[in-house]
Amino acid sequence: MTISLDNVDRQLLDWLQRDASLSLSDLAERVNLTTTPCWKRLKRLEESGILQKRVALLDPEALGLSFTAFVQIKTSNHSETWYRKFVDVVTPFAEVMECYRMAGEYDYMLKVQVADMAAFDRFYKKLVNSIDGLTNVTSTFAMEPLKYTTALPL
């Protein structure tokens, strides 16, 4: 379901992407509404699924999780059954921050966040021993994050 967003909706979403801890009264003031219409807009955005959740973003380095790996996976099995098994296996891994089914040379790509190479090696062994049918697992490692955002362009 697609809903139409006006300028006030976009402003609300932009403010929330910057700081989800803003109070209702602060949000309303920033978009020139009173609290009741602001609350109704937020409810509509939540009910439509545009506003999915409000979370805190943590600093991986401050938590000792500064090692970022991108894991590209090929498989020879493209059945619905294998796909579901793969998703069921990968989803519970806390180290997997993002998982995508891809078009192109690789079938899947994971973004993995761990403490160091030894932690990545443990993750890698756990992954490849958890699911059959992987024909190629290639990893690359980030040297330095240059841009990171969760904010969508509105």
Side-chain angles (χ1 to χ4, degrees):
M1 175 175 103
T2 304
I3 69 166
S4 179
L5 298 177
D6 65 15
N7 191 43
V8 174
D9 292 330
R10 291 178 192 285
Q11 287 178 44
L12 277 171
L13 293 169
D14 188 47
W15 280 111
L16 286 172
Q17 286 189 115
R18 289 190 232 175
D19 185 357
S21 70
L22 289 171
S23 69
L24 179 60
S25 61
D26 285 341
L27 275 172
E29 183 179 321
R30 290 168 194 230
V31 298
N32 296 314
L33 291 175
T34 60
T35 55
T36 300
C38 184
W39 179 82
K40 286 180 179 178
R41 282 176 179 266
L42 290 173
K43 292 307 282 176
R44 182 175 55 86
L45 291 167
E46 288 172 342
E47 290 168 0
S48 73
I50 289 174
L51 182 54
Q52 293 182 344
K53 53 175 100 169
R54 302 178 205 189
V55 299
L57 299 177
L58 308 179
D59 180 353
E61 196 164 319
L63 295 168
L65 298 168
S66 59
F67 192 88
T68 305
F70 295 92
V71 180
Q72 297 169 304
I73 298 170
K74 287 184 184 180
T75 181
S76 58
N77 190 338
H78 298 279
S79 71
E80 179 73 18
T81 302
W82 190 92
Y83 164 80
R84 289 182 189 277
K85 167 105 170 124
F86 177 77
V87 172
D88 289 345
V89 166
V90 169
T91 300
F93 284 111
E95 302 93 339
V96 176
M97 306 305 297
E98 300 174 46
C99 178
Y100 299 93
R101 188 169 62 89
M102 306 295 290
E105 186 176 349
Y106 290 91
D107 299 308
Y108 299 92
M109 186 168 73
L110 313 176
K111 178 183 176 186
V112 176
Q113 198 75 43
V114 292
D116 52 27
M117 181 60 84
F120 178 77
D121 188 46
R122 287 189 299 277
F123 162 80
Y124 176 88
K125 289 173 184 172
K126 192 168 52 167
L127 174 69
V128 298
N129 289 307
S130 295
I131 190 159
D132 293 327
L134 303 179
T135 59
N136 185 343
V137 180
T138 301
S139 303
T140 57
F141 308 105
M143 301 284 291
E144 173 185 15
L146 301 177
K147 179 182 179 180
Y148 170 77
T149 184
T150 61
L152 296 174
L154 300 173

